[in-house]
Amino acid sequence: SVIVEQPLQITLSWLEQGIVKNKIFTITMRTPGHDYLLIIGLLHSEGVFKQLDDITSITLESQDIAGEGEQNEWLVQFIDGIIPDLASLDRYLMTYSSCGLCGSTSLKALQLKTKINLSYAEHNNVLPANSLLSLSNKMRTEQGLFDLTGGVHGAALFDMHINLQHSFEDIGRHNAVDKVIGEYLLAIQAAT
């Protein structure tokens, strides 16, 4: 078995001074599946939106690109009054399933674009070393694609009690992380 990689095009749409603007944000290579989560995680990680409520919809625009037969072209629409933050981005339009640094045109483009909530640190929660070291093995038990192919990355989110919360696989490790982030953001929204 061989892992699949296909292009994913993300187009952003917003209203600016009464005019609908559309911009292709990126074309990235990814393992198909959980694209909705990947899009949310990627756009949030890149600082394009601050909260999920800024987005009205994420919809599939095309069933087929260049005969691939998969769902590869997505449109992200923002609510009235929200203009996506594209000024901080300094990347080429095409990205690949590699480390996530590819396509960056400066070191400034690699800076963290969103704040990370480290509230757990404020409560002096500490994981014992053996618990921390067990996380990789716990995640590995959820990697069905890796079992089949031996050639896919995984990412997971655990709570402070070492319970697996979210886990995804993708040919690109940054894509797997963005899928985890996307699902986490949706879970937070559902809980509020």
PDB file of all heavy atoms in Angstrom, residues 55-82:
ATOM      1  N   ILE A  55     -15.774  33.025  10.204  1.00  0.00           N
ATOM      2  CA  ILE A  55     -16.028  32.284   8.960  1.00  0.00           C
ATOM      3  C   ILE A  55     -17.502  31.914   8.884  1.00  0.00           C
ATOM      4  O   ILE A  55     -18.065  31.387   9.841  1.00  0.00           O
ATOM      5  CB  ILE A  55     -15.147  31.021   8.902  1.00  0.00           C
ATOM      6  CG1 ILE A  55     -13.668  31.415   8.856  1.00  0.00           C
ATOM      7  CG2 ILE A  55     -15.521  30.150   7.717  1.00  0.00           C
ATOM      8  CD1 ILE A  55     -12.718  30.257   8.965  1.00  0.00           C
ATOM      9  N   THR A  56     -18.130  32.188   7.732  1.00  0.00           N
ATOM     10  CA  THR A  56     -19.531  31.788   7.547  1.00  0.00           C
ATOM     11  C   THR A  56     -19.648  30.393   6.954  1.00  0.00           C
ATOM     12  O   THR A  56     -20.574  29.659   7.275  1.00  0.00           O
ATOM     13  CB  THR A  56     -20.311  32.765   6.633  1.00  0.00           C
ATOM     14  OG1 THR A  56     -19.676  32.809   5.367  1.00  0.00           O
ATOM     15  CG2 THR A  56     -20.373  34.137   7.232  1.00  0.00           C
ATOM     16  N   SER A  57     -18.697  30.020   6.090  1.00  0.00           N
ATOM     17  CA  SER A  57     -18.776  28.688   5.501  1.00  0.00           C
ATOM     18  C   SER A  57     -17.434  28.261   4.926  1.00  0.00           C
ATOM     19  O   SER A  57     -16.608  29.080   4.541  1.00  0.00           O
ATOM     20  CB  SER A  57     -19.840  28.650   4.398  1.00  0.00           C
ATOM     21  OG  SER A  57     -19.463  29.477   3.321  1.00  0.00           O
ATOM     22  N   ILE A  58     -17.272  26.963   4.887  1.00  0.00           N
ATOM     23  CA  ILE A  58     -16.152  26.326   4.184  1.00  0.00           C
ATOM     24  C   ILE A  58     -16.804  25.269   3.319  1.00  0.00           C
ATOM     25  O   ILE A  58     -17.352  24.293   3.829  1.00  0.00           O
ATOM     26  CB  ILE A  58     -15.138  25.698   5.161  1.00  0.00           C
ATOM     27  CG1 ILE A  58     -14.544  26.761   6.088  1.00  0.00           C
ATOM     28  CG2 ILE A  58     -14.033  24.974   4.390  1.00  0.00           C
ATOM     29  CD1 ILE A  58     -13.643  26.202   7.180  1.00  0.00           C
ATOM     30  N   THR A  59     -16.781  25.495   2.006  1.00  0.00           N
ATOM     31  CA  THR A  59     -17.524  24.614   1.110  1.00  0.00           C
ATOM     32  C   THR A  59     -16.646  24.083  -0.007  1.00  0.00           C
ATOM     33  O   THR A  59     -15.703  24.728  -0.449  1.00  0.00           O
ATOM     34  CB  THR A  59     -18.727  25.359   0.481  1.00  0.00           C
ATOM     35  OG1 THR A  59     -18.250  26.553  -0.162  1.00  0.00           O
ATOM     36  CG2 THR A  59     -19.757  25.723   1.527  1.00  0.00           C
ATOM     37  N   LEU A  60     -17.012  22.910  -0.451  1.00  0.00           N
ATOM     38  CA  LEU A  60     -16.350  22.278  -1.572  1.00  0.00           C
ATOM     39  C   LEU A  60     -16.788  22.979  -2.842  1.00  0.00           C
ATOM     40  O   LEU A  60     -17.967  23.141  -3.108  1.00  0.00           O
ATOM     41  CB  LEU A  60     -16.738  20.798  -1.616  1.00  0.00           C
ATOM     42  CG  LEU A  60     -16.048  19.940  -2.641  1.00  0.00           C
ATOM     43  CD1 LEU A  60     -14.548  19.892  -2.383  1.00  0.00           C
ATOM     44  CD2 LEU A  60     -16.629  18.550  -2.605  1.00  0.00           C
ATOM     45  N   GLU A  61     -15.827  23.432  -3.615  1.00  0.00           N
ATOM     46  CA  GLU A  61     -16.122  24.166  -4.845  1.00  0.00           C
ATOM     47  C   GLU A  61     -16.088  23.287  -6.072  1.00  0.00           C
ATOM     48  O   GLU A  61     -16.704  23.584  -7.065  1.00  0.00           O
ATOM     49  CB  GLU A  61     -15.127  25.322  -5.030  1.00  0.00           C
ATOM     50  CG  GLU A  61     -15.406  26.470  -4.111  1.00  0.00           C
ATOM     51  CD  GLU A  61     -16.748  27.117  -4.387  1.00  0.00           C
ATOM     52  OE1 GLU A  61     -16.905  27.742  -5.439  1.00  0.00           O
ATOM     53  OE2 GLU A  61     -17.644  26.981  -3.540  1.00  0.00           O
ATOM     54  N   SER A  62     -15.327  22.208  -6.032  1.00  0.00           N
ATOM     55  CA  SER A  62     -15.168  21.377  -7.218  1.00  0.00           C
ATOM     56  C   SER A  62     -15.002  19.933  -6.784  1.00  0.00           C
ATOM     57  O   SER A  62     -14.326  19.650  -5.807  1.00  0.00           O
ATOM     58  CB  SER A  62     -13.941  21.829  -8.002  1.00  0.00           C
ATOM     59  OG  SER A  62     -13.692  20.928  -9.055  1.00  0.00           O
ATOM     60  N   GLN A  63     -15.610  19.048  -7.520  1.00  0.00           N
ATOM     61  CA  GLN A  63     -15.466  17.617  -7.248  1.00  0.00           C
ATOM     62  C   GLN A  63     -14.234  17.021  -7.933  1.00  0.00           C
ATOM     63  O   GLN A  63     -13.822  15.940  -7.612  1.00  0.00           O
ATOM     64  CB  GLN A  63     -16.713  16.867  -7.737  1.00  0.00           C
ATOM     65  CG  GLN A  63     -17.981  17.256  -7.008  1.00  0.00           C
ATOM     66  CD  GLN A  63     -17.998  16.762  -5.582  1.00  0.00           C
ATOM     67  OE1 GLN A  63     -17.419  15.739  -5.255  1.00  0.00           O
ATOM     68  NE2 GLN A  63     -18.646  17.504  -4.710  1.00  0.00           N
ATOM     69  N   ASP A  64     -13.686  17.745  -8.912  1.00  0.00           N
ATOM     70  CA  ASP A  64     -12.645  17.136  -9.723  1.00  0.00           C
ATOM     71  C   ASP A  64     -11.682  18.193 -10.258  1.00  0.00           C
ATOM     72  O   ASP A  64     -12.092  19.159 -10.868  1.00  0.00           O
ATOM     73  CB  ASP A  64     -13.299  16.411 -10.902  1.00  0.00           C
ATOM     74  CG  ASP A  64     -12.300  15.643 -11.742  1.00  0.00           C
ATOM     75  OD1 ASP A  64     -11.377  15.059 -11.165  1.00  0.00           O
ATOM     76  OD2 ASP A  64     -12.466  15.626 -12.971  1.00  0.00           O
ATOM     77  N   ILE A  65     -10.396  18.016  -9.981  1.00  0.00           N
ATOM     78  CA  ILE A  65      -9.362  18.888 -10.539  1.00  0.00           C
ATOM     79  C   ILE A  65      -8.408  18.004 -11.335  1.00  0.00           C
ATOM     80  O   ILE A  65      -7.862  17.049 -10.795  1.00  0.00           O
ATOM     81  CB  ILE A  65      -8.590  19.631  -9.436  1.00  0.00           C
ATOM     82  CG1 ILE A  65      -9.474  20.675  -8.787  1.00  0.00           C
ATOM     83  CG2 ILE A  65      -7.338  20.290  -9.994  1.00  0.00           C
ATOM     84  CD1 ILE A  65      -8.791  21.445  -7.693  1.00  0.00           C
ATOM     85  N   ALA A  66      -8.232  18.322 -12.583  1.00  0.00           N
ATOM     86  CA  ALA A  66      -7.274  17.627 -13.454  1.00  0.00           C
ATOM     87  C   ALA A  66      -7.453  16.112 -13.408  1.00  0.00           C
ATOM     88  O   ALA A  66      -6.499  15.368 -13.380  1.00  0.00           O
ATOM     89  CB  ALA A  66      -5.846  18.022 -13.069  1.00  0.00           C
ATOM     90  N   GLY A  67      -8.712  15.659 -13.342  1.00  0.00           N
ATOM     91  CA  GLY A  67      -8.982  14.227 -13.394  1.00  0.00           C
ATOM     92  C   GLY A  67      -8.619  13.458 -12.146  1.00  0.00           C
ATOM     93  O   GLY A  67      -8.615  12.242 -12.154  1.00  0.00           O
ATOM     94  N   GLU A  68      -8.315  14.148 -11.055  1.00  0.00           N
ATOM     95  CA  GLU A  68      -7.929  13.458  -9.826  1.00  0.00           C
ATOM     96  C   GLU A  68      -9.102  12.677  -9.225  1.00  0.00           C
ATOM     97  O   GLU A  68      -8.907  11.711  -8.526  1.00  0.00           O
ATOM     98  CB  GLU A  68      -7.400  14.458  -8.787  1.00  0.00           C
ATOM     99  CG  GLU A  68      -6.119  15.159  -9.191  1.00  0.00           C
ATOM    100  CD  GLU A  68      -4.907  14.282  -9.080  1.00  0.00           C
ATOM    101  OE1 GLU A  68      -4.940  13.276  -8.369  1.00  0.00           O
ATOM    102  OE2 GLU A  68      -3.902  14.596  -9.726  1.00  0.00           O
ATOM    103  N   GLY A  69     -10.347  13.163  -9.468  1.00  0.00           N
ATOM    104  CA  GLY A  69     -11.509  12.460  -8.945  1.00  0.00           C
ATOM    105  C   GLY A  69     -11.706  12.628  -7.455  1.00  0.00           C
ATOM    106  O   GLY A  69     -12.424  11.863  -6.834  1.00  0.00           O
ATOM    107  N   GLU A  70     -11.091  13.596  -6.860  1.00  0.00           N
ATOM    108  CA  GLU A  70     -11.231  13.833  -5.427  1.00  0.00           C
ATOM    109  C   GLU A  70     -11.715  15.247  -5.176  1.00  0.00           C
ATOM    110  O   GLU A  70     -11.788  16.066  -6.087  1.00  0.00           O
ATOM    111  CB  GLU A  70      -9.886  13.607  -4.710  1.00  0.00           C
ATOM    112  CG  GLU A  70      -9.421  12.184  -4.739  1.00  0.00           C
ATOM    113  CD  GLU A  70     -10.307  11.221  -3.967  1.00  0.00           C
ATOM    114  OE1 GLU A  70     -10.942  11.620  -2.970  1.00  0.00           O
ATOM    115  OE2 GLU A  70     -10.372  10.052  -4.379  1.00  0.00           O
ATOM    116  N   GLN A  71     -12.003  15.546  -3.944  1.00  0.00           N
ATOM    117  CA  GLN A  71     -12.507  16.860  -3.558  1.00  0.00           C
ATOM    118  C   GLN A  71     -11.335  17.743  -3.164  1.00  0.00           C
ATOM    119  O   GLN A  71     -10.850  17.678  -2.040  1.00  0.00           O
ATOM    120  CB  GLN A  71     -13.495  16.696  -2.406  1.00  0.00           C
ATOM    121  CG  GLN A  71     -14.635  15.779  -2.791  1.00  0.00           C
ATOM    122  CD  GLN A  71     -15.560  15.475  -1.633  1.00  0.00           C
ATOM    123  OE1 GLN A  71     -15.248  15.727  -0.491  1.00  0.00           O
ATOM    124  NE2 GLN A  71     -16.718  14.936  -1.939  1.00  0.00           N
ATOM    125  N   ASN A  72     -10.900  18.585  -4.103  1.00  0.00           N
ATOM    126  CA  ASN A  72      -9.640  19.296  -3.922  1.00  0.00           C
ATOM    127  C   ASN A  72      -9.735  20.816  -3.885  1.00  0.00           C
ATOM    128  O   ASN A  72      -8.744  21.465  -3.583  1.00  0.00           O
ATOM    129  CB  ASN A  72      -8.659  18.908  -5.037  1.00  0.00           C
ATOM    130  CG  ASN A  72      -8.268  17.456  -4.969  1.00  0.00           C
ATOM    131  OD1 ASN A  72      -8.064  16.912  -3.895  1.00  0.00           O
ATOM    132  ND2 ASN A  72      -8.192  16.803  -6.111  1.00  0.00           N
ATOM    133  N   GLU A  73     -10.871  21.394  -4.213  1.00  0.00           N
ATOM    134  CA  GLU A  73     -10.967  22.852  -4.310  1.00  0.00           C
ATOM    135  C   GLU A  73     -12.029  23.354  -3.329  1.00  0.00           C
ATOM    136  O   GLU A  73     -13.210  23.036  -3.458  1.00  0.00           O
ATOM    137  CB  GLU A  73     -11.337  23.235  -5.745  1.00  0.00           C
ATOM    138  CG  GLU A  73     -11.186  24.705  -6.028  1.00  0.00           C
ATOM    139  CD  GLU A  73     -11.407  25.024  -7.502  1.00  0.00           C
ATOM    140  OE1 GLU A  73     -11.451  24.094  -8.326  1.00  0.00           O
ATOM    141  OE2 GLU A  73     -11.550  26.213  -7.817  1.00  0.00           O
ATOM    142  N   TRP A  74     -11.597  24.154  -2.359  1.00  0.00           N
ATOM    143  CA  TRP A  74     -12.476  24.611  -1.280  1.00  0.00           C
ATOM    144  C   TRP A  74     -12.529  26.137  -1.229  1.00  0.00           C
ATOM    145  O   TRP A  74     -11.537  26.806  -1.514  1.00  0.00           O
ATOM    146  CB  TRP A  74     -11.974  24.083   0.058  1.00  0.00           C
ATOM    147  CG  TRP A  74     -12.119  22.602   0.193  1.00  0.00           C
ATOM    148  CD1 TRP A  74     -11.330  21.632  -0.378  1.00  0.00           C
ATOM    149  CD2 TRP A  74     -13.115  21.913   0.932  1.00  0.00           C
ATOM    150  NE1 TRP A  74     -11.777  20.394  -0.022  1.00  0.00           N
ATOM    151  CE2 TRP A  74     -12.866  20.530   0.793  1.00  0.00           C
ATOM    152  CE3 TRP A  74     -14.179  22.327   1.733  1.00  0.00           C
ATOM    153  CZ2 TRP A  74     -13.659  19.566   1.407  1.00  0.00           C
ATOM    154  CZ3 TRP A  74     -14.961  21.360   2.347  1.00  0.00           C
ATOM    155  CH2 TRP A  74     -14.695  19.993   2.173  1.00  0.00           C
ATOM    156  N   LEU A  75     -13.702  26.671  -0.829  1.00  0.00           N
ATOM    157  CA  LEU A  75     -13.920  28.104  -0.688  1.00  0.00           C
ATOM    158  C   LEU A  75     -14.240  28.409   0.762  1.00  0.00           C
ATOM    159  O   LEU A  75     -15.137  27.808   1.356  1.00  0.00           O
ATOM    160  CB  LEU A  75     -15.083  28.565  -1.576  1.00  0.00           C
ATOM    161  CG  LEU A  75     -15.437  30.055  -1.493  1.00  0.00           C
ATOM    162  CD1 LEU A  75     -14.314  30.906  -2.095  1.00  0.00           C
ATOM    163  CD2 LEU A  75     -16.760  30.324  -2.206  1.00  0.00           C
ATOM    164  N   VAL A  76     -13.511  29.357   1.329  1.00  0.00           N
ATOM    165  CA  VAL A  76     -13.733  29.808   2.711  1.00  0.00           C
ATOM    166  C   VAL A  76     -14.315  31.209   2.645  1.00  0.00           C
ATOM    167  O   VAL A  76     -13.668  32.126   2.133  1.00  0.00           O
ATOM    168  CB  VAL A  76     -12.410  29.822   3.514  1.00  0.00           C
ATOM    169  CG1 VAL A  76     -12.639  30.326   4.928  1.00  0.00           C
ATOM    170  CG2 VAL A  76     -11.762  28.440   3.498  1.00  0.00           C
ATOM    171  N   GLN A  77     -15.546  31.374   3.154  1.00  0.00           N
ATOM    172  CA  GLN A  77     -16.205  32.674   3.138  1.00  0.00           C
ATOM    173  C   GLN A  77     -16.225  33.262   4.538  1.00  0.00           C
ATOM    174  O   GLN A  77     -16.566  32.576   5.509  1.00  0.00           O
ATOM    175  CB  GLN A  77     -17.625  32.549   2.600  1.00  0.00           C
ATOM    176  CG  GLN A  77     -17.636  32.159   1.132  1.00  0.00           C
ATOM    177  CD  GLN A  77     -19.032  32.084   0.560  1.00  0.00           C
ATOM    178  OE1 GLN A  77     -19.877  31.371   1.074  1.00  0.00           O
ATOM    179  NE2 GLN A  77     -19.251  32.827  -0.514  1.00  0.00           N
ATOM    180  N   PHE A  78     -15.870  34.553   4.617  1.00  0.00           N
ATOM    181  CA  PHE A  78     -15.823  35.264   5.892  1.00  0.00           C
ATOM    182  C   PHE A  78     -17.091  36.085   6.080  1.00  0.00           C
ATOM    183  O   PHE A  78     -17.722  36.507   5.112  1.00  0.00           O
ATOM    184  CB  PHE A  78     -14.582  36.163   5.940  1.00  0.00           C
ATOM    185  CG  PHE A  78     -13.310  35.383   6.047  1.00  0.00           C
ATOM    186  CD1 PHE A  78     -12.687  34.872   4.914  1.00  0.00           C
ATOM    187  CD2 PHE A  78     -12.751  35.121   7.280  1.00  0.00           C
ATOM    188  CE1 PHE A  78     -11.528  34.130   5.010  1.00  0.00           C
ATOM    189  CE2 PHE A  78     -11.587  34.370   7.383  1.00  0.00           C
ATOM    190  CZ  PHE A  78     -10.978  33.875   6.251  1.00  0.00           C
ATOM    191  N   ILE A  79     -17.444  36.319   7.343  1.00  0.00           N
ATOM    192  CA  ILE A  79     -18.638  37.103   7.635  1.00  0.00           C
ATOM    193  C   ILE A  79     -18.415  38.557   7.214  1.00  0.00           C
ATOM    194  O   ILE A  79     -17.267  39.006   7.074  1.00  0.00           O
ATOM    195  CB  ILE A  79     -19.026  37.037   9.136  1.00  0.00           C
ATOM    196  CG1 ILE A  79     -17.945  37.652  10.021  1.00  0.00           C
ATOM    197  CG2 ILE A  79     -19.344  35.625   9.565  1.00  0.00           C
ATOM    198  CD1 ILE A  79     -18.340  37.814  11.475  1.00  0.00           C
ATOM    199  N   ASP A  80     -19.518  39.264   7.000  1.00  0.00           N
ATOM    200  CA  ASP A  80     -19.427  40.686   6.648  1.00  0.00           C
ATOM    201  C   ASP A  80     -18.649  41.426   7.721  1.00  0.00           C
ATOM    202  O   ASP A  80     -18.867  41.223   8.915  1.00  0.00           O
ATOM    203  CB  ASP A  80     -20.826  41.291   6.517  1.00  0.00           C
ATOM    204  CG  ASP A  80     -21.567  40.768   5.291  1.00  0.00           C
ATOM    205  OD1 ASP A  80     -20.921  40.117   4.448  1.00  0.00           O
ATOM    206  OD2 ASP A  80     -22.778  41.017   5.188  1.00  0.00           O
ATOM    207  N   GLY A  81     -17.735  42.269   7.287  1.00  0.00           N
ATOM    208  CA  GLY A  81     -16.933  43.059   8.214  1.00  0.00           C
ATOM    209  C   GLY A  81     -15.602  42.434   8.579  1.00  0.00           C
ATOM    210  O   GLY A  81     -14.757  43.073   9.184  1.00  0.00           O
ATOM    211  N   ILE A  82     -15.404  41.175   8.236  1.00  0.00           N
ATOM    212  CA  ILE A  82     -14.130  40.505   8.523  1.00  0.00           C
ATOM    213  C   ILE A  82     -13.338  40.379   7.224  1.00  0.00           C
ATOM    214  O   ILE A  82     -13.790  39.798   6.241  1.00  0.00           O
ATOM    215  CB  ILE A  82     -14.347  39.105   9.136  1.00  0.00           C
ATOM    216  CG1 ILE A  82     -15.049  39.206  10.486  1.00  0.00           C
ATOM    217  CG2 ILE A  82     -13.024  38.355   9.255  1.00  0.00           C
ATOM    218  CD1 ILE A  82     -14.236  39.869  11.577  1.00  0.00           C
TER     219      ILE A  82
END
